[in-house]
Amino acid sequence: MKIVSGRLGEIEIDAAKIITFPDGIIGFPEYLRYIELEFMENSPLRLLQAVDAPDLGFILIDPVLFHPGYTAAVTQDDIKSLNADSPEQLLVCAIVTIPDDPYEMTANLQGPLVINPVSGLAKQIINHDQAYTTKHKIIANKPAPSAK
Amino acid sequence: MLVLTRKPGESVTIGDNIKITIIEIKGRQVRLGIEAPRDMTIHREEVYSRIHEENQRAALRKAINIEKLAKLFPGKISGDK
């Protein structure tokens, strides 16, 4: 099916790959359908594009890339609501906030997205572990400005 | 906002299937028990607000500079937080 992405223009997507958030993403309850897109080569960042809103998207990253051992605190109710049987069937990713200086980009490890790739259902859960914040820095070292 | 005064052990019902009970009061803290349908999410308000706010900040509403982002990767991600 064709959708319009604010970033990529009109694109063709596989409707079978649409991810549905029955409760939407927190703060955006009216948009339930998204699709994950690659928008840069060799990049750990992916675009979660809202299928029904061309200008709405989120950048996602796998938290394990910069925070090994990260786990989302998924409950039995969460697992059931995604039509899964166990936490191992679920994918976890974090929404990235990119400020004006992209080196300062942060990942929301307190509110990860949990996706069941088989059922296509997903939700945003809240990690109550105090160790996780909504603003984890992704990039450790900004390169020194080059001398001109 | 509806404001009610309750003593420990007393409850408040909301609709047909939500009940909030004051379990105990210890110093300045109130222990609440909440009964609600399992598909309803219940969170401490300040945590929920923080997620809500961060989602708003993260949501792409206007074009992002892809070239700027492409320069940052690969090989530049920290191994720890």
Side-chain angles (χ1 to χ4, degrees):
Chain A
M1 67 180 266
K2 279 198 169 31
I3 67 162
V4 180
S5 156
R7 259 136 296 286
L8 306 172
E10 189 178 272
I11 53 175
E12 183 69 40
I13 65 163
D14 179 356
K17 297 226 167 87
I18 290 179
I19 299 168
T20 302
F21 288 74
D23 299 318
I25 286 177
I26 292 175
F28 298 87
E30 28 346 337
Y31 301 110
L32 309 186
R33 304 192 306 163
Y34 291 83
I35 187 134
E36 254 190 71
L37 301 169
E38 301 286 330
F39 71 107
M40 282 193 299
E41 271 185 43
N42 297 324
S43 170
L45 302 182
R46 281 141 24 234
L47 172 65
L48 187 71
Q49 172 67 49
V51 167
D52 305 304
D55 282 337
L56 179 61
F58 295 92
I59 305 270
L60 302 184
I61 193 168
D62 180 354
V64 161
L65 292 176
F66 59 95
H67 201 303
Y70 175 80
T71 49
V74 178
T75 66
Q76 281 304 315
D77 286 334
D78 291 329
I79 296 169
K80 261 205 230 128
S81 70
L82 300 180
N83 286 354
D85 305 303
S86 72
E88 290 77 35
Q89 297 169 339
L90 305 176
L91 301 176
V92 176
C93 50
I95 295 179
V96 177
T97 303
I98 302 181
D100 288 329
D101 180 354
Y103 281 101
E104 300 297 317
M105 67 171 69
T106 54
N108 183 347
L109 295 189
Q110 194 167 34
L113 304 185
V114 180
I115 302 169
N116 180 349
V118 170
S119 66
L121 296 175
K123 71 193 294 193
Q124 181 169 32
I125 65 165
I126 299 187
N127 255 342
H128 289 285
D129 189 330
Q130 306 280 27
Y132 298 129
T133 73
T134 55
K135 299 180 209 277
H136 266 268
K137 280 208 70 177
I138 297 172
I139 300 175
N141 300 305
K142 194 167 167 174
S146 50
K148 282 215 160 149
Chain B
M1 190 190 284
L2 175 64
V3 180
L4 303 168
T5 303
R6 305 269 64 196
K7 300 206 254 301
E10 294 182 336
S11 306
V12 165
T13 57
I14 299 173
D16 279 333
N17 28 26
I18 301 173
K19 182 161 120 175
I20 303 177
T21 305
I22 313 294
I23 305 223
E24 72 171 323
I25 302 175
K26 232 174 174 180
R28 298 184 48 136
Q29 291 190 315
V30 179
R31 199 174 188 83
L32 299 170
I34 303 164
E35 291 163 77
R38 303 194 82 156
D39 61 354
M40 237 179 224
T41 53
I42 302 172
H43 295 297
R44 288 167 180 75
E45 186 273 339
E46 69 279 9
V47 175
Y48 185 87
S49 288
R50 227 180 291 142
I51 307 285
H52 192 287
E53 186 203 306
E54 196 61 30
N55 282 352
Q56 297 289 342
R57 294 184 62 233
L60 300 170
R61 297 287 208 183
K62 48 186 173 102
I64 44 165
N65 189 328
I66 290 186
E67 288 75 39
K68 228 173 162 185
L69 284 183
K71 290 202 187 97
L72 300 176
F73 301 104
K76 290 249 168 54
I77 303 184
S78 61
D80 59 284
K81 60 174 166 158

